[in-house]
Structure formats: structure tokens, C-alpha cells
């Protein structure tokens, strides 16, 4: 909420416009098949974050804390020639008489998935950091998202803070 009330570029834009634009950019990100295109979109997201007066280090930590941890682990097996056949660039030895290694095709596919996830998470983080929660819920309602979904989101958001408070009390 503190970041959302600052005077930045995205903070001045209506939440409905940001939400529709986010959805469009998420579709572009999902359909992009080139790492270069995804990196250009990611650079634009970072530029929007800086123009919105977000700390770049704070923003990058929020995104890249989870991307390598989850997506990297999930995509790692796809880099092996057992899953993705191709030219081996990093030999890892043999396994039951077959050569095992990381392929260039597997690395390319893994890079696309990791950058795609990073761009998608960055877009969502950028939206949530630059839009007050009440305006975001109102924008979802204006775009005809079912009321039950919005109520569940609102309750989950509210009870998240109650849960954090309870955990803090138990810890102290």
C-alpha cells in the first residue's frame, strides 16, 4: 500500500487500464517463442518499475527469489538429453551405457520457460505494487469478474494479515 500511494507513472493510471494491459502482456508473454522478445518485454517491465519509483533491488528480489527456486528445479530435467534430444554441450558421463548430458535444445527451452515465468511474475508484482488493493478489486469487478471470486480474494488478503499476526505473536 505504501508503494501504491507514491507518485509514480503506474500509480497515476486507472486500475482497469493496468489490469487489461497486464492481461494483454501476459498473453504476449505466453505466446512468445523467442528469448529475445521475452527479454525486451522484461526490460520494459523493469523500466516501468523504475518509472513508478520502485526500488529495482526490491523488485528484483521479489521476482528472482522464487523463479530459480521453483521453475529452475522443475525445468532442470528437461535440459538433459534423456528428455530433450539434441547436441550435448555439457557431458555428464554415461548412464546404463548411454551418454548423458545437457543439450543446447534443452537449455534453450529451459531459458524460454524461466524468462517467461520471470516476466509473468514481474508483471503481476508490478500491478500489485502500484495499485491499492481496494482499487484492484474494484477493477476486477468492473471487468465482470464473478463477485464470488472477488470476495474470496478479499477475504484471503484480509486473513493473510491475521495469520501473519498470529504467527508473529506465537513466535514472540
Amino acid at each position: 500500500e505504501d508503494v501504491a500511494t507514491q507518485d509514480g507513472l503506474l500509480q497515476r493510471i486507472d486500475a482497469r487500464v493496468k489490469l487489461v494491459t497486464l492481461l494483454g502482456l501476459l498473453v504476449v508473454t505466453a505466446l512468445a517463442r523467442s528469448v529475445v522478445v521475452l527479454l525486451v518485454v522484461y526490460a520494459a517491465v523493469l523500466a516501468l518499475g523504475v518509472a513508478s519509483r520502485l526500488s529495482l533491488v526490491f523488485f528484483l528480489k521479489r521476482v528472482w527469489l522464487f523463479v530459480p527456486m521453483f521453475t529452475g528445479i522443475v525445468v532442470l530435467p528437461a535440459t538433459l538429453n534423456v528428455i530433450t534430444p539434441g547436441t550435448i554441450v555439457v557431458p555428464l558421463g554415461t548412464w546404463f551405457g548411454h551418454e548423458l548430458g545437457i543439450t543446447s535444445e534443452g537449455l534453450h527451452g529451459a531459458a524460454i520457460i524461466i524468462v517467461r515465468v520471470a516476466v509473468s511474475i514481474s508483471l503481476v508484482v508490478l500491478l500489485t505494487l502500484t495499485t491499492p488493493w481496494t482499487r484492484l478489486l474494484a477493477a476486477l469487478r468492473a471487468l465482470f469478474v464473478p463477485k464470488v471470486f472477488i470476495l474470496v480474494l478479499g477475504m484471503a488478503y484480509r486473513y493473510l494479515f491475521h495469520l501473519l499476526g498470529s504467527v508473529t505473536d506465537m513466535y514472540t
Side-chain angles (χ1 to χ4, degrees), residues 1-138:
E1 294 288 327
D2 294 336
V3 176
T5 58
Q6 291 178 354
D7 186 33
L9 176 67
L10 289 179
Q11 287 89 333
R12 287 183 245 137
I13 297 175
D14 186 47
R16 294 170 293 190
V17 174
K18 287 191 280 190
L19 195 58
V20 170
T21 305
L22 169 88
L23 292 174
L25 286 172
L26 283 174
V27 169
V28 168
T29 300
L31 297 176
R33 296 187 179 271
S34 169
V35 176
V36 175
V37 171
L38 290 169
L39 289 174
V40 167
V41 174
Y42 188 64
V45 170
L46 290 179
L48 282 172
V50 170
S52 299
R53 297 191 178 180
L54 296 176
S55 167
L56 194 58
V57 174
F58 172 74
F59 186 71
L60 290 173
K61 280 182 185 177
R62 289 179 86 88
V63 174
W64 286 101
L65 179 67
F66 298 106
V67 171
M69 203 179 316
F70 295 108
T71 309
I73 291 171
V74 169
V75 173
L76 188 63
T79 62
L80 299 173
N81 65 332
V82 176
I83 308 280
T84 308
T87 308
I88 295 177
V89 292
V90 180
L92 298 175
T94 59
W95 187 49
F96 294 111
H98 294 81
E99 190 175 7
L100 183 67
I102 297 174
T103 64
S104 62
E105 292 81 2
L107 286 174
H108 182 263
I112 287 176
I113 292 172
I114 289 173
V115 175
R116 187 177 285 157
V117 168
V119 171
S120 300
I121 290 173
S122 297
L123 286 166
V124 172
V125 167
L126 189 62
L127 176 73
T128 56
L129 285 177
T130 61
T131 310
W133 187 247
T134 54
R135 289 187 185 165
L136 187 58
L137 292 178

Side-chain angles (χ1 to χ4, degrees), residues 162-172:
H162 287 295
L163 178 66
L164 289 174
S166 296
V167 168
T168 302
D169 290 344
M170 287 179 5
Y171 182 72
T172 57

